[in-house]
Amino acid sequence: MSLNALINFAYIAAAIMFIFGLKMLSSPATARKGNLISAFGMFLAVIITLLDKSIISYEFIAIGIAAGSVIGFFAARLVAMTRMPEMVALFNGFGGIASLLVGWAVYHFTPEIPPFTAVTIFLSVIIGGITFTGSVVAFGKLSEYISGKPILFAGQHIVNAVLVIGSLVLGALYCLNPAGNYLIFSIIIVMSLILGILAVIPIGGADMPVVISLLNSYSGLAACAAGFVIQNNILIVAGALVGASGIILTQIMCKAMNRSLANVLFSGFGATSSKKQEGVQGEAKPLKVDDAYLILEAAQSVVVVPGYGLAVAQAQHALRELDELLEANGCEVRYAIHPVAGRMPGHMNVLLAEANVPYDKLIDMDNINPTMNTVDVCLVVGANDVVNPAAREDESSPIYGMPIINVDHAKLVFVLKRSMATGFAGVQNPLFFKENTRMIFGDAKETITGLVAGFKNN
Amino acid sequence: METIAIYLGFILLLSIFLGFELISKVPSKLHTPLMSGANAISGITLVGAIISAGTGTDNRISVLLGTLAVTFATINVVGGYFVTDRMLAMFHKKETGGKK
């Protein structure tokens, strides 16, 4: 068997391992093993690539792999679970820049390439570049190095359109004559990097689940394009799997907000807060922690609705403690998870898993809503727009039509909140004024700790 | 060239459909690990980067670009898999107790 055939057989094996790895991610019981299989597939693909005959020097490969492994390992070990969204965003970006660099390196090494290869290099550079800077901006927004608010400026759409059309025109020029157009190629790289920045700055913090999903998809597609450049099957298969995964997640996120992808990407949603809204009248009824404890003590069924505020307040461990005390008291505790709660798909699940909450207590929105009217107390912790009944009732509301968790159907709703401020969408929440709603003002962690103390002292 | 393009296109198309089938079965509670796990897979660019970094030794810029690509892709791969494993280790059912 020739070496080339051996390498390609190994790639097939790696592809199978990726596929099984992803398949096993469909159940929490097998997911961890699935990830291991996938990692082993990657290991195999990398090792077998080192046998490639065109490789004549290993020192730089060794340097790159050593540096990358150390950085990657420590980043993965040290990152706090609440920082997971920005970590994933950053890793995404690194995948993107790697694809850009591969395209560039191939072109630099052999500028005399057929148009087909030139097209694939162009795609790998432009998608890779957008993924890189887009992810870096998303990272900045999520870690609050830059404002999480949408950044808008006059003529933004025009600038974007000019950049997109410009890069396509330059791309066409480049592909027609790759050997003589190094300058144009350099300009394309710069444009792709600017495009990535401009694409993500107008998107607000709470829309980040969509953006991260989309960038995830791009990083896969960039790998795919790089696969076409070097005509390598494994890059195409793996890249396509990731691309498809990102697209599906993007769709799920958009559907959960009842908004189109175009609306998320271009509208600067949430930029204008404190819109005047009609129909929200009445007085919010505040409740003291001690009184809240007495009600919880008598409750048979409690549902917790976590939101991004839970992550901000770092209240997940205190919450788990409260959960245990409630259960010891004979109360059933469940968690209702909205698909876009938090800053990335599944963010709340990871946060609660970190606090040792078993995953079978985390219930999807669609499964918990029908049971909501049997719930004694609904505890809303740091969530706002995803429990806003205006989405169901008020046709003039910007979030009208978005599927929500029907907390107002519970017998009693406790909203843990710092103040009466509006949520990300800048929409007033009529939930706060409902007959069965009580507001517990203050820091979520302190409030929950107070409730825990109530159970312990009595 | 044409046959290769068609052949690679086929692979691309089938893989995308396979990806849709696989991913749509992943429950929402596993979406974060799915994303970071998929993210790690997208670091497969590493294979391309290795070839770029290892070929033209006399072409310094190519080697530099390739080495940078290897570094970034390795961070993506190693970091992605480890962080996914760390997350998945925390997921546990009732009464089994979680590893931390």
Side-chain angles (χ1 to χ4, degrees), chain B residues 5-41:
Chain B
I6 292 170
Y7 155 77
L8 293 177
F10 250 107
I11 294 179
L12 171 68
L13 213 70
L14 291 174
S15 311
I16 288 179
F17 275 102
L18 178 63
F20 279 138
E21 281 303 309
L22 284 173
I23 309 298
S24 49
K25 293 198 177 71
V26 176
S28 62
K29 64 181 72 161
L30 287 174
H31 276 168
T32 298
L34 163 69
M35 187 168 256
S36 71
N39 191 217
I41 296 179

PDB file of all heavy atoms in Angstrom, chain B residues 5-41:
ATOM      1  N   ALA B   5     -12.674  18.761  -8.551  1.00  0.00           N
ATOM      2  CA  ALA B   5     -13.612  19.738  -8.003  1.00  0.00           C
ATOM      3  C   ALA B   5     -14.981  19.096  -7.788  1.00  0.00           C
ATOM      4  O   ALA B   5     -15.615  19.294  -6.744  1.00  0.00           O
ATOM      5  CB  ALA B   5     -13.723  20.936  -8.943  1.00  0.00           C
ATOM      6  N   ILE B   6     -15.413  18.315  -8.770  1.00  0.00           N
ATOM      7  CA  ILE B   6     -16.729  17.681  -8.647  1.00  0.00           C
ATOM      8  C   ILE B   6     -16.737  16.677  -7.498  1.00  0.00           C
ATOM      9  O   ILE B   6     -17.650  16.641  -6.675  1.00  0.00           O
ATOM     10  CB  ILE B   6     -17.116  16.988  -9.974  1.00  0.00           C
ATOM     11  CG1 ILE B   6     -17.360  18.052 -11.047  1.00  0.00           C
ATOM     12  CG2 ILE B   6     -18.345  16.112  -9.797  1.00  0.00           C
ATOM     13  CD1 ILE B   6     -17.505  17.514 -12.444  1.00  0.00           C
ATOM     14  N   TYR B   7     -15.668  15.914  -7.430  1.00  0.00           N
ATOM     15  CA  TYR B   7     -15.544  14.892  -6.392  1.00  0.00           C
ATOM     16  C   TYR B   7     -15.525  15.516  -4.997  1.00  0.00           C
ATOM     17  O   TYR B   7     -16.240  15.089  -4.077  1.00  0.00           O
ATOM     18  CB  TYR B   7     -14.287  14.083  -6.718  1.00  0.00           C
ATOM     19  CG  TYR B   7     -13.604  13.381  -5.589  1.00  0.00           C
ATOM     20  CD1 TYR B   7     -14.134  12.194  -5.068  1.00  0.00           C
ATOM     21  CD2 TYR B   7     -12.399  13.862  -5.086  1.00  0.00           C
ATOM     22  CE1 TYR B   7     -13.471  11.539  -4.048  1.00  0.00           C
ATOM     23  CE2 TYR B   7     -11.738  13.210  -4.077  1.00  0.00           C
ATOM     24  CZ  TYR B   7     -12.288  12.052  -3.553  1.00  0.00           C
ATOM     25  OH  TYR B   7     -11.625  11.409  -2.546  1.00  0.00           O
ATOM     26  N   LEU B   8     -14.758  16.603  -4.851  1.00  0.00           N
ATOM     27  CA  LEU B   8     -14.709  17.282  -3.553  1.00  0.00           C
ATOM     28  C   LEU B   8     -16.056  17.918  -3.227  1.00  0.00           C
ATOM     29  O   LEU B   8     -16.502  17.934  -2.078  1.00  0.00           O
ATOM     30  CB  LEU B   8     -13.608  18.343  -3.546  1.00  0.00           C
ATOM     31  CG  LEU B   8     -12.166  17.829  -3.638  1.00  0.00           C
ATOM     32  CD1 LEU B   8     -11.178  18.985  -3.693  1.00  0.00           C
ATOM     33  CD2 LEU B   8     -11.829  16.917  -2.476  1.00  0.00           C
ATOM     34  N   GLY B   9     -16.720  18.430  -4.274  1.00  0.00           N
ATOM     35  CA  GLY B   9     -18.043  19.033  -4.079  1.00  0.00           C
ATOM     36  C   GLY B   9     -19.041  18.014  -3.550  1.00  0.00           C
ATOM     37  O   GLY B   9     -19.844  18.315  -2.658  1.00  0.00           O
ATOM     38  N   PHE B  10     -18.960  16.803  -4.083  1.00  0.00           N
ATOM     39  CA  PHE B  10     -19.835  15.722  -3.615  1.00  0.00           C
ATOM     40  C   PHE B  10     -19.629  15.460  -2.129  1.00  0.00           C
ATOM     41  O   PHE B  10     -20.573  15.357  -1.348  1.00  0.00           O
ATOM     42  CB  PHE B  10     -19.512  14.425  -4.377  1.00  0.00           C
ATOM     43  CG  PHE B  10     -20.598  14.028  -5.331  1.00  0.00           C
ATOM     44  CD1 PHE B  10     -20.423  14.162  -6.698  1.00  0.00           C
ATOM     45  CD2 PHE B  10     -21.807  13.522  -4.839  1.00  0.00           C
ATOM     46  CE1 PHE B  10     -21.434  13.814  -7.573  1.00  0.00           C
ATOM     47  CE2 PHE B  10     -22.809  13.169  -5.711  1.00  0.00           C
ATOM     48  CZ  PHE B  10     -22.622  13.319  -7.087  1.00  0.00           C
ATOM     49  N   ILE B  11     -18.359  15.346  -1.773  1.00  0.00           N
ATOM     50  CA  ILE B  11     -18.027  15.085  -0.368  1.00  0.00           C
ATOM     51  C   ILE B  11     -18.592  16.181   0.519  1.00  0.00           C
ATOM     52  O   ILE B  11     -19.214  15.927   1.550  1.00  0.00           O
ATOM     53  CB  ILE B  11     -16.500  15.001  -0.197  1.00  0.00           C
ATOM     54  CG1 ILE B  11     -15.982  13.781  -0.935  1.00  0.00           C
ATOM     55  CG2 ILE B  11     -16.110  14.956   1.270  1.00  0.00           C
ATOM     56  CD1 ILE B  11     -14.501  13.611  -0.849  1.00  0.00           C
ATOM     57  N   LEU B  12     -18.427  17.429   0.062  1.00  0.00           N
ATOM     58  CA  LEU B  12     -18.903  18.575   0.826  1.00  0.00           C
ATOM     59  C   LEU B  12     -20.402  18.468   1.058  1.00  0.00           C
ATOM     60  O   LEU B  12     -20.898  18.578   2.180  1.00  0.00           O
ATOM     61  CB  LEU B  12     -18.575  19.866   0.073  1.00  0.00           C
ATOM     62  CG  LEU B  12     -19.198  21.136   0.626  1.00  0.00           C
ATOM     63  CD1 LEU B  12     -18.583  21.475   1.973  1.00  0.00           C
ATOM     64  CD2 LEU B  12     -18.999  22.305  -0.330  1.00  0.00           C
ATOM     65  N   LEU B  13     -21.129  18.215  -0.030  1.00  0.00           N
ATOM     66  CA  LEU B  13     -22.592  18.204   0.038  1.00  0.00           C
ATOM     67  C   LEU B  13     -23.090  17.101   0.973  1.00  0.00           C
ATOM     68  O   LEU B  13     -23.928  17.332   1.848  1.00  0.00           O
ATOM     69  CB  LEU B  13     -23.134  17.983  -1.372  1.00  0.00           C
ATOM     70  CG  LEU B  13     -24.451  18.692  -1.620  1.00  0.00           C
ATOM     71  CD1 LEU B  13     -24.207  20.192  -1.662  1.00  0.00           C
ATOM     72  CD2 LEU B  13     -25.086  18.218  -2.909  1.00  0.00           C
ATOM     73  N   LEU B  14     -22.538  15.911   0.792  1.00  0.00           N
ATOM     74  CA  LEU B  14     -22.980  14.791   1.627  1.00  0.00           C
ATOM     75  C   LEU B  14     -22.649  15.047   3.095  1.00  0.00           C
ATOM     76  O   LEU B  14     -23.455  14.751   3.980  1.00  0.00           O
ATOM     77  CB  LEU B  14     -22.314  13.489   1.155  1.00  0.00           C
ATOM     78  CG  LEU B  14     -22.807  12.994  -0.212  1.00  0.00           C
ATOM     79  CD1 LEU B  14     -21.995  11.786  -0.655  1.00  0.00           C
ATOM     80  CD2 LEU B  14     -24.281  12.645  -0.168  1.00  0.00           C
ATOM     81  N   SER B  15     -21.486  15.633   3.348  1.00  0.00           N
ATOM     82  CA  SER B  15     -21.101  15.894   4.734  1.00  0.00           C
ATOM     83  C   SER B  15     -22.033  16.907   5.380  1.00  0.00           C
ATOM     84  O   SER B  15     -22.365  16.802   6.559  1.00  0.00           O
ATOM     85  CB  SER B  15     -19.676  16.427   4.820  1.00  0.00           C
ATOM     86  OG  SER B  15     -18.827  15.641   4.074  1.00  0.00           O
ATOM     87  N   ILE B  16     -22.441  17.906   4.596  1.00  0.00           N
ATOM     88  CA  ILE B  16     -23.341  18.915   5.169  1.00  0.00           C
ATOM     89  C   ILE B  16     -24.668  18.252   5.562  1.00  0.00           C
ATOM     90  O   ILE B  16     -25.186  18.462   6.660  1.00  0.00           O
ATOM     91  CB  ILE B  16     -23.570  20.068   4.174  1.00  0.00           C
ATOM     92  CG1 ILE B  16     -22.301  20.917   4.068  1.00  0.00           C
ATOM     93  CG2 ILE B  16     -24.730  20.947   4.635  1.00  0.00           C
ATOM     94  CD1 ILE B  16     -22.389  22.069   3.104  1.00  0.00           C
ATOM     95  N   PHE B  17     -25.198  17.408   4.676  1.00  0.00           N
ATOM     96  CA  PHE B  17     -26.460  16.741   5.006  1.00  0.00           C
ATOM     97  C   PHE B  17     -26.295  15.842   6.234  1.00  0.00           C
ATOM     98  O   PHE B  17     -27.143  15.816   7.117  1.00  0.00           O
ATOM     99  CB  PHE B  17     -26.971  15.927   3.813  1.00  0.00           C
ATOM    100  CG  PHE B  17     -27.751  16.776   2.865  1.00  0.00           C
ATOM    101  CD1 PHE B  17     -27.199  17.231   1.681  1.00  0.00           C
ATOM    102  CD2 PHE B  17     -29.059  17.154   3.170  1.00  0.00           C
ATOM    103  CE1 PHE B  17     -27.912  18.043   0.820  1.00  0.00           C
ATOM    104  CE2 PHE B  17     -29.778  17.966   2.322  1.00  0.00           C
ATOM    105  CZ  PHE B  17     -29.207  18.410   1.136  1.00  0.00           C
ATOM    106  N   LEU B  18     -25.190  15.137   6.268  1.00  0.00           N
ATOM    107  CA  LEU B  18     -24.913  14.280   7.424  1.00  0.00           C
ATOM    108  C   LEU B  18     -24.848  15.127   8.689  1.00  0.00           C
ATOM    109  O   LEU B  18     -25.421  14.762   9.725  1.00  0.00           O
ATOM    110  CB  LEU B  18     -23.587  13.547   7.202  1.00  0.00           C
ATOM    111  CG  LEU B  18     -23.123  12.654   8.343  1.00  0.00           C
ATOM    112  CD1 LEU B  18     -24.107  11.525   8.566  1.00  0.00           C
ATOM    113  CD2 LEU B  18     -21.743  12.078   8.039  1.00  0.00           C
ATOM    114  N   GLY B  19     -24.176  16.279   8.590  1.00  0.00           N
ATOM    115  CA  GLY B  19     -24.068  17.188   9.731  1.00  0.00           C
ATOM    116  C   GLY B  19     -25.440  17.619  10.220  1.00  0.00           C
ATOM    117  O   GLY B  19     -25.726  17.583  11.418  1.00  0.00           O
ATOM    118  N   PHE B  20     -26.309  17.989   9.304  1.00  0.00           N
ATOM    119  CA  PHE B  20     -27.669  18.396   9.696  1.00  0.00           C
ATOM    120  C   PHE B  20     -28.369  17.272  10.450  1.00  0.00           C
ATOM    121  O   PHE B  20     -28.984  17.484  11.483  1.00  0.00           O
ATOM    122  CB  PHE B  20     -28.500  18.764   8.459  1.00  0.00           C
ATOM    123  CG  PHE B  20     -28.240  20.157   7.951  1.00  0.00           C
ATOM    124  CD1 PHE B  20     -28.117  20.421   6.602  1.00  0.00           C
ATOM    125  CD2 PHE B  20     -28.122  21.218   8.845  1.00  0.00           C
ATOM    126  CE1 PHE B  20     -27.873  21.707   6.137  1.00  0.00           C
ATOM    127  CE2 PHE B  20     -27.882  22.501   8.393  1.00  0.00           C
ATOM    128  CZ  PHE B  20     -27.758  22.742   7.034  1.00  0.00           C
ATOM    129  N   GLU B  21     -28.270  16.057   9.910  1.00  0.00           N
ATOM    130  CA  GLU B  21     -28.926  14.914  10.547  1.00  0.00           C
ATOM    131  C   GLU B  21     -28.397  14.689  11.964  1.00  0.00           C
ATOM    132  O   GLU B  21     -29.156  14.492  12.899  1.00  0.00           O
ATOM    133  CB  GLU B  21     -28.679  13.637   9.724  1.00  0.00           C
ATOM    134  CG  GLU B  21     -29.570  13.500   8.506  1.00  0.00           C
ATOM    135  CD  GLU B  21     -31.042  13.543   8.883  1.00  0.00           C
ATOM    136  OE1 GLU B  21     -31.454  12.804   9.785  1.00  0.00           O
ATOM    137  OE2 GLU B  21     -31.779  14.341   8.258  1.00  0.00           O
ATOM    138  N   LEU B  22     -27.072  14.719  12.084  1.00  0.00           N
ATOM    139  CA  LEU B  22     -26.458  14.439  13.384  1.00  0.00           C
ATOM    140  C   LEU B  22     -26.810  15.502  14.409  1.00  0.00           C
ATOM    141  O   LEU B  22     -27.204  15.200  15.533  1.00  0.00           O
ATOM    142  CB  LEU B  22     -24.934  14.401  13.241  1.00  0.00           C
ATOM    143  CG  LEU B  22     -24.299  13.183  12.607  1.00  0.00           C
ATOM    144  CD1 LEU B  22     -22.806  13.443  12.412  1.00  0.00           C
ATOM    145  CD2 LEU B  22     -24.493  11.969  13.502  1.00  0.00           C
ATOM    146  N   ILE B  23     -26.669  16.752  14.015  1.00  0.00           N
ATOM    147  CA  ILE B  23     -26.764  17.835  14.991  1.00  0.00           C
ATOM    148  C   ILE B  23     -28.199  18.087  15.433  1.00  0.00           C
ATOM    149  O   ILE B  23     -28.458  18.451  16.570  1.00  0.00           O
ATOM    150  CB  ILE B  23     -26.161  19.141  14.440  1.00  0.00           C
ATOM    151  CG1 ILE B  23     -24.765  18.900  13.900  1.00  0.00           C
ATOM    152  CG2 ILE B  23     -26.164  20.235  15.491  1.00  0.00           C
ATOM    153  CD1 ILE B  23     -23.759  18.429  14.893  1.00  0.00           C
ATOM    154  N   SER B  24     -29.154  17.844  14.521  1.00  0.00           N
ATOM    155  CA  SER B  24     -30.534  18.142  14.911  1.00  0.00           C
ATOM    156  C   SER B  24     -31.006  17.192  16.010  1.00  0.00           C
ATOM    157  O   SER B  24     -32.036  17.421  16.626  1.00  0.00           O
ATOM    158  CB  SER B  24     -31.457  18.102  13.692  1.00  0.00           C
ATOM    159  OG  SER B  24     -31.235  16.926  12.979  1.00  0.00           O
ATOM    160  N   LYS B  25     -30.257  16.139  16.290  1.00  0.00           N
ATOM    161  CA  LYS B  25     -30.650  15.217  17.358  1.00  0.00           C
ATOM    162  C   LYS B  25     -30.051  15.589  18.704  1.00  0.00           C
ATOM    163  O   LYS B  25     -30.310  14.952  19.714  1.00  0.00           O
ATOM    164  CB  LYS B  25     -30.224  13.789  16.990  1.00  0.00           C
ATOM    165  CG  LYS B  25     -30.993  13.254  15.795  1.00  0.00           C
ATOM    166  CD  LYS B  25     -30.909  11.743  15.699  1.00  0.00           C
ATOM    167  CE  LYS B  25     -31.733  11.227  14.549  1.00  0.00           C
ATOM    168  NZ  LYS B  25     -31.131  11.571  13.226  1.00  0.00           N
ATOM    169  N   VAL B  26     -29.206  16.610  18.728  1.00  0.00           N
ATOM    170  CA  VAL B  26     -28.563  16.985  19.993  1.00  0.00           C
ATOM    171  C   VAL B  26     -29.534  17.828  20.824  1.00  0.00           C
ATOM    172  O   VAL B  26     -30.060  18.824  20.341  1.00  0.00           O
ATOM    173  CB  VAL B  26     -27.261  17.778  19.720  1.00  0.00           C
ATOM    174  CG1 VAL B  26     -26.648  18.258  21.019  1.00  0.00           C
ATOM    175  CG2 VAL B  26     -26.281  16.919  18.958  1.00  0.00           C
ATOM    176  N   PRO B  27     -29.805  17.428  22.071  1.00  0.00           N
ATOM    177  CA  PRO B  27     -30.765  18.178  22.886  1.00  0.00           C
ATOM    178  C   PRO B  27     -30.200  19.533  23.291  1.00  0.00           C
ATOM    179  O   PRO B  27     -28.985  19.702  23.375  1.00  0.00           O
ATOM    180  CB  PRO B  27     -30.948  17.279  24.117  1.00  0.00           C
ATOM    181  CG  PRO B  27     -29.691  16.497  24.207  1.00  0.00           C
ATOM    182  CD  PRO B  27     -29.217  16.291  22.797  1.00  0.00           C
ATOM    183  N   SER B  28     -31.091  20.472  23.586  1.00  0.00           N
ATOM    184  CA  SER B  28     -30.636  21.841  23.841  1.00  0.00           C
ATOM    185  C   SER B  28     -29.740  21.934  25.069  1.00  0.00           C
ATOM    186  O   SER B  28     -28.890  22.798  25.149  1.00  0.00           O
ATOM    187  CB  SER B  28     -31.835  22.767  23.977  1.00  0.00           C
ATOM    188  OG  SER B  28     -32.621  22.360  25.074  1.00  0.00           O
ATOM    189  N   LYS B  29     -29.898  21.001  26.032  1.00  0.00           N
ATOM    190  CA  LYS B  29     -29.057  21.109  27.219  1.00  0.00           C
ATOM    191  C   LYS B  29     -27.592  20.852  26.905  1.00  0.00           C
ATOM    192  O   LYS B  29     -26.721  21.225  27.661  1.00  0.00           O
ATOM    193  CB  LYS B  29     -29.566  20.205  28.350  1.00  0.00           C
ATOM    194  CG  LYS B  29     -29.521  18.733  28.046  1.00  0.00           C
ATOM    195  CD  LYS B  29     -30.068  17.895  29.222  1.00  0.00           C
ATOM    196  CE  LYS B  29     -31.580  18.025  29.364  1.00  0.00           C
ATOM    197  NZ  LYS B  29     -32.202  16.955  30.152  1.00  0.00           N
ATOM    198  N   LEU B  30     -27.330  20.225  25.761  1.00  0.00           N
ATOM    199  CA  LEU B  30     -25.931  19.964  25.402  1.00  0.00           C
ATOM    200  C   LEU B  30     -25.408  20.924  24.337  1.00  0.00           C
ATOM    201  O   LEU B  30     -24.373  20.676  23.722  1.00  0.00           O
ATOM    202  CB  LEU B  30     -25.777  18.515  24.924  1.00  0.00           C
ATOM    203  CG  LEU B  30     -25.853  17.472  26.034  1.00  0.00           C
ATOM    204  CD1 LEU B  30     -25.838  16.072  25.455  1.00  0.00           C
ATOM    205  CD2 LEU B  30     -24.696  17.634  27.004  1.00  0.00           C
ATOM    206  N   HIS B  31     -26.123  22.021  24.119  1.00  0.00           N
ATOM    207  CA  HIS B  31     -25.711  22.896  23.023  1.00  0.00           C
ATOM    208  C   HIS B  31     -24.347  23.545  23.236  1.00  0.00           C
ATOM    209  O   HIS B  31     -23.590  23.717  22.286  1.00  0.00           O
ATOM    210  CB  HIS B  31     -26.778  23.964  22.762  1.00  0.00           C
ATOM    211  CG  HIS B  31     -27.862  23.459  21.867  1.00  0.00           C
ATOM    212  ND1 HIS B  31     -29.047  24.126  21.671  1.00  0.00           N
ATOM    213  CD2 HIS B  31     -27.947  22.343  21.124  1.00  0.00           C
ATOM    214  CE1 HIS B  31     -29.807  23.429  20.848  1.00  0.00           C
ATOM    215  NE2 HIS B  31     -29.160  22.334  20.510  1.00  0.00           N
ATOM    216  N   THR B  32     -24.027  23.910  24.481  1.00  0.00           N
ATOM    217  CA  THR B  32     -22.712  24.524  24.693  1.00  0.00           C
ATOM    218  C   THR B  32     -21.573  23.538  24.436  1.00  0.00           C
ATOM    219  O   THR B  32     -20.657  23.849  23.679  1.00  0.00           O
ATOM    220  CB  THR B  32     -22.603  25.135  26.102  1.00  0.00           C
ATOM    221  OG1 THR B  32     -23.580  26.159  26.219  1.00  0.00           O
ATOM    222  CG2 THR B  32     -21.243  25.744  26.329  1.00  0.00           C
ATOM    223  N   PRO B  33     -21.613  22.337  25.034  1.00  0.00           N
ATOM    224  CA  PRO B  33     -20.550  21.374  24.698  1.00  0.00           C
ATOM    225  C   PRO B  33     -20.536  21.004  23.219  1.00  0.00           C
ATOM    226  O   PRO B  33     -19.458  20.832  22.638  1.00  0.00           O
ATOM    227  CB  PRO B  33     -20.890  20.138  25.535  1.00  0.00           C
ATOM    228  CG  PRO B  33     -21.865  20.566  26.546  1.00  0.00           C
ATOM    229  CD  PRO B  33     -22.505  21.821  26.088  1.00  0.00           C
ATOM    230  N   LEU B  34     -21.701  20.946  22.606  1.00  0.00           N
ATOM    231  CA  LEU B  34     -21.751  20.660  21.163  1.00  0.00           C
ATOM    232  C   LEU B  34     -20.962  21.714  20.415  1.00  0.00           C
ATOM    233  O   LEU B  34     -20.144  21.420  19.547  1.00  0.00           O
ATOM    234  CB  LEU B  34     -23.207  20.663  20.670  1.00  0.00           C
ATOM    235  CG  LEU B  34     -23.363  20.784  19.157  1.00  0.00           C
ATOM    236  CD1 LEU B  34     -22.873  19.525  18.467  1.00  0.00           C
ATOM    237  CD2 LEU B  34     -24.797  21.049  18.756  1.00  0.00           C
ATOM    238  N   MET B  35     -21.227  22.977  20.798  1.00  0.00           N
ATOM    239  CA  MET B  35     -20.579  24.056  20.095  1.00  0.00           C
ATOM    240  C   MET B  35     -19.071  24.019  20.298  1.00  0.00           C
ATOM    241  O   MET B  35     -18.304  24.143  19.341  1.00  0.00           O
ATOM    242  CB  MET B  35     -21.143  25.346  20.638  1.00  0.00           C
ATOM    243  CG  MET B  35     -20.678  26.498  19.870  1.00  0.00           C
ATOM    244  SD  MET B  35     -21.654  27.861  20.379  1.00  0.00           S
ATOM    245  CE  MET B  35     -22.694  27.960  19.035  1.00  0.00           C
ATOM    246  N   SER B  36     -18.626  23.803  21.527  1.00  0.00           N
ATOM    247  CA  SER B  36     -17.183  23.829  21.721  1.00  0.00           C
ATOM    248  C   SER B  36     -16.541  22.561  21.158  1.00  0.00           C
ATOM    249  O   SER B  36     -15.415  22.602  20.669  1.00  0.00           O
ATOM    250  CB  SER B  36     -16.832  24.053  23.190  1.00  0.00           C
ATOM    251  OG  SER B  36     -17.142  22.922  23.935  1.00  0.00           O
ATOM    252  N   GLY B  37     -17.292  21.450  21.180  1.00  0.00           N
ATOM    253  CA  GLY B  37     -16.765  20.229  20.564  1.00  0.00           C
ATOM    254  C   GLY B  37     -16.651  20.373  19.052  1.00  0.00           C
ATOM    255  O   GLY B  37     -15.645  19.995  18.452  1.00  0.00           O
ATOM    256  N   ALA B  38     -17.677  20.947  18.450  1.00  0.00           N
ATOM    257  CA  ALA B  38     -17.656  21.176  16.997  1.00  0.00           C
ATOM    258  C   ALA B  38     -16.537  22.148  16.668  1.00  0.00           C
ATOM    259  O   ALA B  38     -15.818  21.994  15.679  1.00  0.00           O
ATOM    260  CB  ALA B  38     -18.998  21.735  16.542  1.00  0.00           C
ATOM    261  N   ASN B  39     -16.389  23.138  17.536  1.00  0.00           N
ATOM    262  CA  ASN B  39     -15.334  24.117  17.394  1.00  0.00           C
ATOM    263  C   ASN B  39     -13.965  23.452  17.337  1.00  0.00           C
ATOM    264  O   ASN B  39     -13.123  23.775  16.498  1.00  0.00           O
ATOM    265  CB  ASN B  39     -15.448  25.038  18.601  1.00  0.00           C
ATOM    266  CG  ASN B  39     -14.595  26.259  18.469  1.00  0.00           C
ATOM    267  OD1 ASN B  39     -14.029  26.717  19.424  1.00  0.00           O
ATOM    268  ND2 ASN B  39     -14.503  26.775  17.275  1.00  0.00           N
ATOM    269  N   ALA B  40     -13.764  22.483  18.230  1.00  0.00           N
ATOM    270  CA  ALA B  40     -12.498  21.758  18.239  1.00  0.00           C
ATOM    271  C   ALA B  40     -12.306  21.021  16.918  1.00  0.00           C
ATOM    272  O   ALA B  40     -11.207  20.995  16.362  1.00  0.00           O
ATOM    273  CB  ALA B  40     -12.466  20.781  19.408  1.00  0.00           C
ATOM    274  N   ILE B  41     -13.393  20.444  16.397  1.00  0.00           N
ATOM    275  CA  ILE B  41     -13.284  19.729  15.118  1.00  0.00           C
ATOM    276  C   ILE B  41     -12.883  20.695  13.998  1.00  0.00           C
ATOM    277  O   ILE B  41     -12.116  20.348  13.114  1.00  0.00           O
ATOM    278  CB  ILE B  41     -14.607  19.007  14.772  1.00  0.00           C
ATOM    279  CG1 ILE B  41     -14.898  17.917  15.810  1.00  0.00           C
ATOM    280  CG2 ILE B  41     -14.552  18.406  13.379  1.00  0.00           C
ATOM    281  CD1 ILE B  41     -16.189  17.165  15.561  1.00  0.00           C
TER     282      ILE B  41
END
